[in-house]
Amino acid sequence: MDPQLWKTRLINELNHDFENSNDYIGGSLLSLYWQYADDAGYKDESDKVIQFFASMGFDTAVYPIPSENSHIELLSEIIHLIKSQGKPGYLVVIHYGGHGDADNDRGMDRESQAVWAAQLRGGPTVDWYEIQPHLHKCKADVLLLLDCCYSAQAARGRVREDPGKCELLAACAMKLQTPSPGPASFTTALLREMNEMLDSMNQIMTSHLAHRLAHKRANLRQTPIRDDMSLGHQGRSIRWKPFLGTDKVVSESSDAISQLKLRVAVSVDPDNQDRSLHDLVQWLKVEAPTFVREIAVDEVLLQTEQLQQITLGHDSSVSTSPLVQSFDKAQRQEILDVWQEVDSLFAEVSQIWIQMGGLNSPEKVSQLKEKILHFVQELELRNSSVIRRLEAELVTLPDDTFEDVACSSSAKVLGLNNPLRLVRLIKGPGSASNSLEINAMEIQSVYGHQGSTPEGEKTVIGTVKQMDVLVEYKPYEESPGQARKLRDAIKIQKLAQILNSEKPTEFCSLNCLHWFHDSYARHYGLVFEVPSGLSLPYATCFELLGLSYRKVRPTLGQRFRIAHDIGRAIQKWHSVGWVHEEICSRNIFIFQNTGSQAWDFSKPFLGGFQYSRRETDISDGLEVDDIEKNVYRHPSRHGVPLQRHDALHDIYAYGVLLLEIGLWQNILEHRYLQGIVKEVRNPRPELIQEALVKIAIQSLGHTMGAGYRDAVVLCLEDGFENLWDDYRTQPRLMRTFKTRVLDQVAKGLDLK
């Protein structure tokens, strides 16, 4: 995910219905103990629990479990509770104080379950594990507070399959016993800690409560167990506050916009940014202290300042920056236009502040807050626009200007360090270090051939030093001369360094660990690490599109995700002056999630970099007589190529890939194209191109939408040809590609 988009989404999430008030409309407590328990202390502790929750505004009820028909009577009471109190927006708390049964007398092949007993030995029992599943019919959130021996055995009954919550706080683990009622009991410690939480924070959260009870100061003999029994729900822990209007209310006056600013640095898992965003919002928005009324992200202001310094110097009306002076006239004007918009934004907010005067009414405060939030979001969008343009221009900068930007303090703040480092590596001669080189004999492929691969296979699974890896091979047909051998070794070494360098996840590339040369087998090789959180085996998009994988089908939203992320990766590689040359479904890799056999379509990777190169270098120009490869090649690149491969040819190949993803079918399996290939043994390249365009126009609109269809046709019909002369016009090509292709594909990302 683009860092600017990530921050914008964070701002939007934090500013959407942020309210740190009570999570529930109301609450109910049902306290359970045995009518004829062998210890009167259970009733005494039940009375204290009732008193505590009544003081918080809960509706309270007590139910002494009878000795006759115990199970049926308790089940009837729980069903009545669900019917009368189990309403959306409410919290239902069930407390039980009594004995628990080990439930270990029903055979070794059966897990012990939650069973409650009236007496320590003998007497009536209740199979709570049969009653507990009925709670899934309760539309309220449910909290179980169980003070009995073996109480954690209730965790074996997961009860919720909807977005609601059901949490268990048990006095002890499954095979352990808990003290009887008294000063050392779980219920005594529970009430003490809840009272202290109310005094200090005016709220109780189950996760925090469990942590406090587990601390040695709680003086409990057994460590309490907390379990979230909500299937499919990954939200925060249950939290509640008093329902009696004792909650402190912040007045809507000028004090409401007084601020306490804390700068927090957050490290985000690059492989799981959507999950990280969700968890961060939950932490800031839902688990914030009670005095926090609003959270906003203001780093955008620092970012604006740094952008102005790096692009304009200190005057937004003219530019003395060497960076912007290196742009052509149209590009300079675009930058200045953006900064004039920024100036207008600041002027607009200043005027609003003056007009608001004394902020003496809630309406004025609300209007000002709305305007300021709009200002921050608009400013973020303009910052993102400038940063994207800077990234696009890096490869075209003169060397001295490039170094000035690379050495500036602003580059790090703006997130330009990695792109700058990558461009420097691509533009430079490459490192003389061979630190990534290994001996070909260290590679053990799945086929059992050290350093070799079966004919026709370019990517295989292998092992290096007992670690699973992917190996991509680049074969050559005859022994090269010494000069050619040295030149090829330098190229593959530089390619390994580029693929090994730190890059944003938007590049969708695997991390290259090593390279090698096998002169006997006549090939070079690149060794790649399996991404964190994912595992082998992997499948190519070509395989997943094929007949053998027809049962493995991504959702519509996942297809848009693959299409968008690979297109954005191509754009990112073009932005640093690198072309791929082998965009096709065989070079799109999908891995399985670690610990499961489910394909993770949300993280596609771009492989097949063996022939990729710097945009300004000469391509190999090899003749290819293979329809499976030529179908992705621009007509000018068929046979013996007459043109050097450039960014436009990558875009054409991407258009074919988009067509396959939209149809979810290998394009050569399409009956229309099959008919052409069967009728004409070697169809003209232009005939293949016309067929692809026709298929896209006729088949994509009703499956992927008009925007997606038009983006595919644009790629296949050379719609960008008038934007391309050489690498110096690449920024203009990239902007148009983003607007007319990537942005159209991105419209389907919210689909499931």
Side-chain angles (χ1 to χ4, degrees):
M1 185 187 300
D2 184 275
Q4 304 306 317
L5 176 60
W6 198 91
K7 285 191 292 183
T8 300
R9 284 182 57 186
L10 177 60
I11 291 172
N12 290 339
E13 291 288 341
L14 289 175
N15 291 333
H16 179 68
D17 293 335
F18 180 88
E19 182 175 88
N20 194 6
S21 59
N22 210 330
D23 291 347
Y24 300 103
I25 301 170
S28 299
L29 167 78
L30 174 63
S31 184
L32 305 171
Y33 63 90
W34 287 90
Q35 185 175 14
Y36 299 107
D38 56 6
D39 190 331
Y42 289 121
K43 180 182 183 304
D44 294 337
E45 290 193 342
S46 173
D47 291 340
K48 294 177 182 178
V49 171
I50 290 286
Q51 182 180 359
F52 173 82
F53 279 91
S55 71
M56 293 190 70
F58 278 65
D59 294 327
T60 60
V62 62
Y63 182 73
I65 304 172
S67 298
E68 297 291 329
N69 297 321
S70 309
H71 185 93
I72 297 299
E73 295 295 335
L74 179 57
L75 174 60
S76 176
E77 181 66 19
I78 294 298
I79 291 175
H80 172 72
L81 174 71
I82 294 171
K83 288 181 177 179
S84 61
Q85 304 296 331
K87 295 171 286 188
Y90 283 75
L91 173 62
V92 171
V93 180
I94 299 176
H95 173 268
Y96 168 70
H99 293 294
D101 189 280
D103 192 39
N104 55 9
D105 56 354
R106 308 193 192 191
M108 298 296 292
D109 59 342
R110 177 186 173 278
E111 287 184 331
S112 298
Q113 299 287 346
V115 177
W116 297 348
Q119 298 166 7
L120 188 60
R121 293 179 179 85
T125 61
V126 164
D127 291 336
W128 174 251
Y129 69 90
E130 291 186 355
I131 298 175
Q132 183 173 292
H134 289 273
L135 293 173
H136 83 276
K137 299 180 177 67
C138 183
K139 297 179 181 179
D141 286 359
V142 177
L143 173 60
L144 301 177
L145 303 174
L146 305 186
D147 186 3
C148 62
C149 300
Y150 322 108
S151 51
Q153 288 175 186
R156 286 180 168 150
R158 300 201 173 258
V159 300
R160 299 300 294 264
E161 297 182 354
D162 58 77
K165 297 286 295 182
C166 183
E167 288 188 67
L168 166 69
L169 190 53
C172 61
M174 294 186 183
K175 296 182 180 181
L176 299 178
Q177 296 180 331
T178 190
S180 299
S185 76
F186 169 78
T187 297
T188 297
L190 177 73
L191 291 169
R192 182 178 64 247
E193 295 300 328
M194 288 195 298
N195 271 303
E196 290 183 6
M197 292 179 74
L198 277 182
D199 289 340
S200 61
M201 296 182 292
N202 196 41
Q203 67 174 358
I204 298 172
M205 182 176 288
T206 312
S207 57
H208 296 175
L209 178 60
H211 178 75
R212 293 170 67 102
L213 288 168
H215 196 276
K216 63 181 180 181
R217 69 167 177 263
N219 199 30
L220 287 172
R221 192 169 70 188
Q222 305 294 352
T223 301
I225 302 297
R226 172 182 167 266
D227 187 72
D228 185 345
M229 300 193 295
S230 311
L231 293 177
H233 188 79
Q234 299 296 324
R236 52 149 183 82
S237 179
I238 287 176
R239 178 185 69 171
W240 73 96
K241 296 196 288 185
F243 298 109
L244 297 180
T246 57
D247 219 357
K248 296 179 180 178
V249 179
V250 178
S251 62
E252 290 287 351
S253 66
S254 58
D255 292 337
I257 53 174
S258 61
Q259 299 176 10
L260 171 64
K261 292 190 177 181
L262 300 176
R263 187 168 297 279
V264 180
V266 180
S267 179
V268 177
D269 178 6
D271 295 321
N272 202 356
Q273 297 193 44
D274 283 332
R275 180 76 257 167
S276 299
L277 178 67
H278 175 271
D279 291 345
L280 182 60
V281 169
Q282 289 296 314
W283 174 52
L284 293 175
K285 187 174 179 180
V286 181
E287 298 191 15
T290 54
F291 63 81
V292 175
R293 307 305 299 176
E294 184 173 21
I295 297 175
V297 180
D298 68 348
E299 183 187 352
V300 62
L301 300 176
L302 172 63
Q303 189 183 76
T304 304
E305 179 184 354
Q306 296 295 322
L307 272 175
Q308 187 169 16
Q309 289 182 10
I310 199 172
T311 57
L312 302 179
H314 300 283
D315 188 344
S316 60
S317 60
V318 296
S319 175
T320 58
S321 163
L323 174 61
V324 176
Q325 287 298 317
S326 67
F327 297 169
D328 62 32
K329 183 177 179 180
Q331 293 165 343
R332 286 199 301 271
Q333 189 58 50
E334 287 179 0
I335 295 291
L336 291 173
D337 288 346
V338 172
W339 283 115
Q340 288 176 5
E341 292 177 4
V342 171
D343 285 343
S344 299
L345 278 173
F346 276 104
E348 179 183 351
V349 169
S350 299
Q351 189 63 32
I352 292 170
W353 185 274
I354 294 171
Q355 292 174 356
M356 288 296 173
L359 293 177
N360 52 9
S361 70
E363 290 78 16
K364 285 189 175 182
V365 172
S366 177
Q367 291 176 33
L368 179 61
K369 286 168 61 177
E370 183 179 345
K371 293 289 186 180
I372 290 177
L373 292 178
H374 175 73
F375 159 74
V376 172
Q377 293 170 3
E378 289 295 315
L379 188 58
E380 180 76 3
L381 291 175
R382 283 156 179 77
N383 283 356
S384 299
S385 174
V386 175
I387 290 174
R388 285 197 304 269
R389 292 180 183 185
L390 291 180
E391 286 182 342
E393 300 290 348
L394 292 179
V395 71
T396 69
L397 296 178
D399 291 342
D400 54 348
T401 305
F402 179 88
E403 291 303 322
D404 287 343
V405 174
C407 296
S408 69
S409 59
S410 301
K412 183 176 182 180
V413 175
L414 300 177
L416 294 175
N417 272 8
N418 286 338
L420 284 164
R421 190 181 302 114
L422 193 56
V423 171
R424 179 186 281 126
L425 183 57
I426 289 172
K427 295 175 72 172
S431 171
S433 170
N434 289 324
S435 60
L436 298 180
E437 184 180 11
I438 60 172
N439 191 300
M441 298 301 290
E442 296 183 53
I443 305 295
Q444 180 72 39
S445 78
V446 292
Y447 300 98
H449 302 289
Q450 288 181 319
S452 61
T453 178
E455 185 177 356
E457 294 288 343
K458 284 190 176 182
T459 305
V460 299
I461 298 172
T463 58
V464 175
K465 301 174 184 178
Q466 299 183 335
M467 178 175 63
D468 289 336
V469 294
L470 262 67
V471 184
E472 288 189 348
Y473 292 90
K474 182 178 181 180
Y476 52 86
E477 295 184 356
E478 57 185 30
S479 299
Q482 190 63 29
R484 171 70 182 273
K485 185 185 296 185
L486 178 61
R487 186 167 66 251
D488 287 348
I490 291 174
K491 287 175 64 176
I492 201 75
Q493 176 181 320
K494 182 173 180 178
L495 177 58
Q497 291 169 349
I498 290 169
L499 294 173
N500 175 259
S501 66
E502 186 178 354
K503 294 177 289 294
T505 55
E506 290 88 346
F507 280 78
C508 290
S509 63
L510 301 170
N511 180 42
C512 182
L513 300 173
H514 305 288
W515 71 275
F516 62 89
H517 177 218
D518 189 336
S519 57
Y520 178 78
R522 291 192 300 206
H523 59 230
Y524 292 95
L526 297 167
V527 180
F528 293 94
E529 181 181 20
V530 177
S532 173
L534 301 175
S535 61
L536 297 172
Y538 78 100
T540 67
C541 195
F542 178 86
E543 293 170 323
L544 293 170
L545 292 168
L547 292 173
S548 61
Y549 279 87
R550 279 293 161 83
K551 292 183 179 180
V552 182
R553 298 178 67 89
T555 65
L556 183 59
Q558 289 170 333
R559 283 156 61 188
F560 275 102
R561 170 60 61 189
I562 296 171
H564 175 268
D565 286 5
I566 295 302
R568 185 180 57 187
I570 294 170
Q571 182 197 35
K572 286 291 185 181
W573 281 106
H574 287 177
S575 73
V576 295
W578 200 258
V579 290
H580 189 277
E581 288 208 28
E582 289 285 328
I583 303 295
C584 64
S585 58
R586 289 186 183 275
N587 287 328
I588 309 302
F589 301 154
I590 306 293
F591 292 85
Q592 293 184 350
N593 283 311
T594 300
S596 74
Q597 295 182 342
W599 297 105
D600 192 342
F601 293 105
S602 68
K603 297 179 185 132
F605 288 88
L606 180 60
F609 280 88
Q610 302 95 320
Y611 298 98
S612 65
R613 58 174 176 79
R614 181 180 173 181
E615 167 64 40
T616 54
D617 290 344
I618 299 174
S619 54
D620 287 343
L622 300 176
E623 180 177 4
V624 176
D625 185 18
D626 184 346
I627 187 63
E628 284 192 2
K629 295 180 180 179
N630 280 335
V631 73
Y632 295 95
R633 292 176 180 258
H634 188 273
S636 65
R637 294 282 298 165
H638 280 236
V640 179
L642 301 178
Q643 291 186 13
R644 179 171 57 88
H645 185 100
D646 56 34
L648 289 177
H649 300 138
D650 273 353
I651 291 175
Y652 179 88
Y654 174 62
V656 181
L657 177 66
L658 282 180
L659 179 56
E660 290 187 302
I661 294 172
L663 299 173
W664 201 248
Q665 179 185 31
N666 289 322
I667 194 58
L668 289 176
E669 293 179 1
H670 194 279
R671 62 182 183 276
Y672 184 71
L673 200 57
Q674 280 184 335
I676 291 176
V677 174
K678 185 178 294 185
E679 182 179 341
V680 183
R681 183 175 180 183
N682 293 308
R684 291 181 299 104
E686 293 77 13
L687 185 60
I688 294 177
Q689 181 185 27
E690 291 170 5
L692 295 174
V693 172
K694 184 174 182 179
I695 294 171
I697 292 174
Q698 293 182 350
S699 305
L700 283 182
H702 69 281
T703 58
M704 304 295 284
Y708 188 100
R709 176 201 62 204
D710 295 344
V712 174
V713 172
L714 188 68
C715 294
L716 295 176
E717 284 191 331
D718 301 327
F720 300 98
E721 195 167 18
N722 63 336
L723 299 174
W724 177 260
D725 293 322
D726 57 28
Y727 78 97
R728 287 168 304 206
T729 60
Q730 187 160 292
R732 188 159 54 104
L733 169 65
M734 288 170 49
R735 291 196 297 272
T736 308
F737 176 72
K738 179 185 182 303
T739 303
R740 300 189 62 186
V741 177
L742 289 185
D743 288 353
Q744 296 303 314
V745 175
K747 291 178 180 178
L749 292 180
D750 291 334
L751 298 172
K752 300 300 182 182

